[in-house]
Amino acid sequence: MTPSELLIEEFSRIQGTVHRALKDASVATLTFRADADANTIAWLTWHLSRVQDDHLADLAGTGQVYADQDWADRFALPFGPTATGYGHTSADVAAVQADADLLGGYYDAVHTATVAYLATLTEADLDRVVDESWTPAVTVGVRLASVLSDDLQHAGQAAFVRGLADRAGV
C-alpha cells in the first residue's frame, strides 16, 4: 500500500462515519442539542467538511468546493464563504440548519476533491513544508494528519449525538 492509498483509505473512513450519522436523519435530529450550547450533527458535519475542504484545497492549490461548486449558496448561512467553524458561538452552531442530503452531498463533493488530490501524492510530497509559522514547520504529511484527526473526532462526535438524539426520540 502506498502512502497515497493509505490516506485515501483513512479519509474514506470519515465518509462512512459521516453517512452513518446522517442516514435517515430528520432536520430535528440533525439540529438536536444535548444541552443548550452543544454542537449539533448538522454543525459538526458542516464544520468537518469545511475544514477538510479548506485545508485540502490549500494543499492542492485549488479553489474550495464550498465556493466553487455553489455549496455556500445552497447552505445560505449567515457567515461568509470562507468560514470553517473555528471560533463559532452557540448561536452560530444553531444557525446551521441543513438536511441530510445537503450535508452529505457537500461532504461527498469534498471527499471527491480530497481523493483526487491524494491520488497525486508521492511519498516525497509528504515532506513539503506548507507552513513555516510553526516550530517545527508544518509539512503536507503533518497537515493531512491534523485534518484526519480533527475530522475523525468530529465525525465520531456526530455519531454520538445521533445516538443521543435517537434515544431522546427526536
Side-chain angles (χ1 to χ4, degrees), residues 56-113:
L56 272 288
D58 184 55
L59 293 177
T62 62
Q64 293 181 27
V65 170
Y66 196 64
D68 291 355
Q69 296 180 19
D70 297 319
W71 290 99
D73 290 339
R74 288 183 239 180
F75 274 92
L77 296 173
F79 9 93
T82 60
T84 61
Y86 288 121
H88 271 189
T89 65
S90 180
D92 294 330
V93 170
V96 180
Q97 300 277 322
D99 65 29
D101 288 340
L102 182 62
L103 292 161
Y106 175 49
Y107 184 80
D108 286 346
V110 170
H111 182 72
T112 297

Side-chain angles (χ1 to χ4, degrees), residues 13-123:
R13 290 177 184 229
I14 297 167
Q15 184 182 37
T17 303
V18 164
H19 279 283
R20 284 188 295 280
L22 297 176
K23 186 176 180 179
D24 300 323
S26 66
V27 173
T29 298
L30 295 170
T31 57
F32 170 81
R33 294 180 102 163
D35 69 28
D37 292 318
N39 292 331
T40 66
I41 298 166
W43 185 86
L44 287 162
T45 303
W46 174 83
H47 169 61
L48 72 86
S49 301
R50 289 295 301 124
V51 169
Q52 186 173 326
D53 190 6
D54 175 77
H55 287 30
L56 272 288
D58 184 55
L59 293 177
T62 62
Q64 293 181 27
V65 170
Y66 196 64
D68 291 355
Q69 296 180 19
D70 297 319
W71 290 99
D73 290 339
R74 288 183 239 180
F75 274 92
L77 296 173
F79 9 93
T82 60
T84 61
Y86 288 121
H88 271 189
T89 65
S90 180
D92 294 330
V93 170
V96 180
Q97 300 277 322
D99 65 29
D101 288 340
L102 182 62
L103 292 161
Y106 175 49
Y107 184 80
D108 286 346
V110 170
H111 182 72
T112 297
T114 297
V115 169
Y117 169 67
L118 295 175
T120 70
L121 286 180
T122 65
E123 189 171 344

Side-chain angles (χ1 to χ4, degrees), residues 1-12 118 121 126 141 144-145 148:
M1 181 177 270
T2 67
S4 176
E5 292 168 336
L6 177 62
L7 288 163
I8 290 168
E9 174 65 25
E10 292 170 344
F11 276 96
S12 294
L118 295 175
L121 286 180
L126 298 174
L144 290 169
L148 280 164

